[in-house]
Amino acid sequence: MKKQSKPVILILCIVLLLPGCANISFNGSNGHKYEEFLVIDVFDELANFQGIQSGWFAKVVKDKFNMELNIIAPNVAGGRKALIEIRAAAGNVGDLIISEGERGALQEMVTSRLVLDMTDLLKDKQIMRYQRAIDNLNQDITPVGIYGIPSEVSENSPLIPSEGLELTFGPYLRWDLYAALGYPKMETLEDLLPVLKAMQEAYPLSESGKPTYGFSFFRDWDGNLMNAAKQPACFYGYDEIGFALAMADGSDYQSIMDDDSMYMRVLRLYYEANQLGLVDPESIHQNFDETFEKYKNGEILYSPWPWLGQSAYNTMTNRTAGKGFMVADIEDMRIFSQGCIPEGNAKTVISIGSQAKDPERLADFIDWLYSPEGIFYNGAQASGGTAGPEGLMWVMGGNGPELTEFGKQAFFENDTIMPEEWGGGIWEDGVSALNYQTVALVELTPDGFPYSYTLWDSVLAMDETKLEADWRAVMGENSTKEYLEKNGKIIVAPGTGFTIPAESLEITTIRTWCQPIILEYSWQMIFARDNDHYQNLKKEMQDTVFSFGYEKVFAADLENAIKLNEARKLAIESHGGHDGAK
């Protein structure tokens, strides 16, 4: 990272650490700095909500910037490609754009004059402390300029997991029901099925009287492949690069169409689960929000992510009663963890649209999102996120930050009502709908503590509930990350700012032909009538995509996966080959 002069750093630190500075507003003392009220269109590929941002985060944005966020979400509206092409044809994707930054996507928007050069807009702003990451993203873009800011920026080693106490992926089970079975051992992924079936038989109806299921899916995040079928591959160290699955350490690469790939293994697992009555039959029609409600109501028994099952169901009331989602052990798993990325994550970036109503105001907003206060506000969520507004949700105590009683209630109970001065409404309904993570959760504030409140000493020392007490007694550690680290069950993909290059028109065309076939057949295979039907669907899928030229796309994806692994090696070398934080 390009270093600022010491006087500038000193001044910045003094400003950030002054009492009350956490709540500095961009408003002038005589009213809004921004006199005209604006509704800002935010094209956001990560958002799971479409419409006007509401609640407390909306009030913060209104008070600071005199604007309202109108979220335009491909996940909800029906696919990135179609939606972005329609808006691009009109010459206006959005005022603020959160979108893919690799495979030539950012360059394409620059060439099409859909995004602004932010060089002058960001000059001398505090976000430029991340200049190394910003330069890395924009270095090959022409003409020269700053057209995007990468997400998940970090100053830690590429070998340090970027998550908090919970990793992004893992086999999370309703621990209370798992405990009632006597904590049966699971040697492989397939051992989930008899365990989930026994849990379902013991608990056939949720508290609301609806049937329970082991698995519940949604289509919102499907892309090159069925998203739900990719998640368990991460339990074994793989992540997707197009149609390829790549091991975090570069030791193995797979085509998702291979008979013995992890993707096919998971589709088979889900097919067998459906034959056992473990798959929610409404999966094929529902969206993320509908799925979340089912977790919240206790209808689903397994979650591939902590921030779904735990966020929805692990209220203080449930945890005190010993109920909730906790990670279970599968003996042969090694869970994929994304290492910190000093150059930032180019997969998703934030830009200002070329037709933006007030570019200066949006530059101020982006700068705020990457500021300590903005990181706290924008990243606030119940499961492992940041702590939200200081003073309301947390305070600085004598031994570091600690949650207020209101903060504990908001994070660990559903339907907590916000004070009127914060706009009222329910806390969780008012969290930022951007779903955009500016820095890694393990990053430190100017005061030297992690942004993720789950890593605070005060939170770690909080009285454990019946749920945590039982899990710790069985697993022998205090947290998920401790258990996984001490038992060699994490495989870290070193963080790198490597950007997958633009692909040829031929590859893009074939990919576009193959994607809907892979998705449609993957869903059909899960709900196949019997084994013969399953095998026929599988063969039809493979034959069809190979007739389109699938192997050419996989070869390109494999080449990118190998280049990514080389970049990961270089990232370790450039950081001195060690795993300590800066």
Side-chain angles (χ1 to χ4, degrees):
M1 177 177 289
K2 293 182 180 179
K3 298 294 184 182
Q4 293 177 315
S5 64
K6 290 183 179 179
V8 173
I9 292 177
L10 179 60
I11 291 170
L12 176 61
C13 290
I14 291 173
V15 169
L16 291 173
L17 296 174
L18 281 173
C21 276
N23 293 313
I24 286 177
S25 171
F26 285 94
N27 299 342
S29 58
N30 296 320
H32 284 294
K33 171 183 174 181
Y34 316 100
E35 294 181 1
E36 180 188 1
F37 172 73
L38 294 178
V39 177
I40 300 299
D41 287 340
V42 184
F43 183 89
D44 189 348
E45 294 188 17
L46 297 181
N48 297 305
F49 162 84
Q50 179 153 288
I52 299 295
Q53 169 77 52
S54 63
W56 64 266
F57 189 75
K59 187 177 188 304
V60 170
V61 173
K62 173 66 166 60
D63 290 347
K64 287 185 173 295
F65 301 99
N66 198 23
M67 68 186 194
E68 197 169 59
L69 304 178
N70 177 38
I71 311 294
I72 301 163
N75 283 343
V76 179
R80 173 192 188 274
K81 185 174 177 60
L83 187 57
I84 200 168
E85 285 181 355
I86 291 171
R87 298 186 67 84
N92 185 5
V93 174
D95 300 303
L96 196 67
I97 303 170
I98 297 173
S99 65
E100 182 181 2
E102 54 186 5
R103 295 189 185 277
L106 183 57
Q107 177 66 72
E108 184 177 339
M109 286 201 291
V110 172
T111 303
S112 301
R113 299 183 180 179
L114 296 172
V115 294
L116 287 178
D117 179 2
M118 296 181 281
T119 302
D120 291 337
L121 295 171
L122 298 179
K123 187 177 181 181
D124 299 327
K125 291 190 183 297
Q126 61 176 333
I127 195 172
M128 295 311 293
R129 69 188 185 276
Y130 299 123
Q131 186 166 354
R132 171 184 174 183
I134 294 170
D135 289 348
N136 181 76
L137 173 67
N138 293 275
Q139 63 184 348
D140 295 324
I141 302 293
T142 55
V144 174
I146 297 175
Y147 300 98
I149 311 294
S151 56
E152 301 177 60
V153 184
S154 175
E155 295 187 81
N156 286 309
S157 162
L159 289 169
I160 290 181
S162 58
E163 305 101 332
L165 289 184
E166 306 288 342
L167 298 191
T168 302
F169 313 100
Y172 287 79
L173 301 181
R174 271 286 301 276
W175 188 262
D176 49 310
L177 304 178
Y178 181 62
L181 299 179
Y183 317 101
K185 287 188 176 182
M186 296 181 288
E187 295 183 359
T188 68
L189 182 66
E190 286 70 23
D191 292 332
L192 271 172
L193 297 188
V195 170
L196 288 171
K197 187 60 182 176
M199 290 166 62
Q200 183 190 48
E201 289 174 347
Y203 184 66
L205 298 177
S206 68
E207 292 95 326
S208 59
K210 294 185 178 180
T212 58
Y213 297 99
F215 303 95
S216 190
F217 311 130
F218 54 92
R219 286 180 177 264
D220 304 28
W221 300 347
D222 288 354
N224 284 291
L225 39 73
M226 181 184 176
N227 181 270
K230 171 249 181 173
Q231 303 309 318
C234 299
F235 303 171
Y236 290 87
Y238 292 94
D239 198 15
E240 65 175 299
I241 291 93
F243 293 148
L245 292 175
M247 183 70 78
D249 61 0
S251 60
D252 187 42
Y253 302 97
Q254 298 180 352
S255 163
I256 60 172
M257 286 295 102
D258 286 351
D259 286 339
D260 59 353
S261 72
M262 277 298 306
Y263 186 74
M264 291 297 188
R265 178 180 174 184
V266 177
L267 288 179
R268 182 71 193 187
L269 177 85
Y270 290 160
Y271 160 74
E272 292 178 354
N274 188 55
Q275 295 295 304
L276 293 171
L278 286 171
V279 177
D280 177 4
E282 296 179 352
S283 294
I284 201 164
H285 304 297
Q286 68 193 6
N287 60 26
F288 175 83
D289 287 342
E290 292 166 327
T291 308
F292 188 89
E293 281 299 309
K294 291 182 176 181
Y295 277 95
K296 188 175 178 180
N297 295 331
E299 298 171 37
I300 313 301
L301 310 178
Y302 155 91
S303 172
W305 310 291
W307 42 265
L308 177 55
Q310 290 188 339
S311 179
Y313 191 77
N314 285 25
T315 64
M316 184 61 74
T317 299
N318 283 337
R319 290 164 55 214
T320 301
K323 299 191 296 183
F325 285 88
M326 299 295 284
V327 77
D329 182 46
I330 297 176
E331 290 187 8
D332 65 346
M333 72 182 184
R334 288 185 72 201
I335 299 176
F336 179 98
S337 173
Q338 177 58 63
C340 290
I341 312 175
E343 294 87 2
N345 189 347
K347 287 184 178 180
T348 310
V349 304
I350 190 167
S351 305
I352 297 176
S354 59
Q355 304 302 311
K357 303 177 181 89
D358 189 342
E360 292 81 6
R361 192 183 315 193
L362 293 183
D364 284 347
F365 180 61
I366 292 174
D367 188 46
W368 177 75
L369 288 175
Y370 282 79
S371 73
E373 183 185 75
I375 294 167
F376 272 118
Y377 282 52
N378 178 58
Q381 59 177 303
S383 180
T386 59
E390 183 179 5
L392 175 69
M393 306 295 295
W394 64 279
V395 294
M396 184 61 72
N399 296 313
E402 53 193 44
L403 296 178
T404 63
E405 289 305 313
F406 182 85
K408 294 175 185 177
Q409 181 183 7
F411 286 131
F412 304 128
E413 290 292 345
N414 288 325
D415 302 335
T416 299
I417 303 298
M418 290 293 284
E420 283 303 316
E421 60 267 30
W422 286 90
I426 297 174
W427 154 263
E428 60 190 19
D429 290 344
V431 300
S432 172
L434 297 177
N435 198 25
Y436 179 76
Q437 187 176 322
T438 54
V439 303
L441 289 173
V442 293
E443 289 305 292
L444 303 182
T445 69
D447 290 326
F449 56 85
Y451 281 106
S452 176
Y453 68 87
T454 62
L455 298 174
W456 295 352
D457 290 342
S458 60
V459 174
L460 294 171
M462 284 172 59
D463 293 338
E464 65 180 7
T465 65
K466 182 179 179 181
L467 176 66
E468 286 90 18
D470 187 70
W471 184 89
R472 289 168 180 170
V474 172
M475 304 297 275
E477 302 295 343
N478 288 322
S479 71
T480 297
K481 184 179 279 188
E482 285 182 11
Y483 174 80
L484 296 175
E485 285 178 338
K486 291 187 178 180
N487 288 276
K489 291 180 179 289
I490 296 179
I491 181 167
V492 177
T496 172
F498 172 78
T499 303
I500 294 177
E503 58 192 22
S504 69
L505 178 59
E506 179 189 24
I507 296 299
T508 298
T509 301
I510 298 173
R511 189 187 301 279
T512 302
W513 292 340
C514 292
Q515 282 174 331
I517 298 297
I518 292 170
L519 295 179
E520 190 55 38
Y521 274 89
S522 294
W523 280 92
Q524 288 185 33
M525 286 162 64
I526 293 170
F527 293 96
R529 293 186 304 273
D530 52 34
N531 184 60
D532 286 344
H533 188 207
Y534 175 90
Q535 295 295 346
N536 288 337
L537 289 170
K538 176 183 172 182
K539 186 175 188 305
E540 286 178 21
M541 174 175 66
Q542 293 170 320
D543 290 347
T544 303
V545 298
F546 275 102
S547 72
F548 289 160
Y550 167 91
E551 69 278 7
K552 292 184 179 180
V553 183
F554 171 69
D557 290 338
L558 177 60
E559 181 180 355
N560 286 328
I562 293 171
K563 288 179 179 178
L564 171 60
N565 188 61
E566 292 302 314
R568 286 170 172 167
K569 293 178 181 177
L570 289 175
I572 296 172
E573 292 173 5
S574 67
H575 205 273
H578 59 83
D579 60 2
K582 280 181 152 181

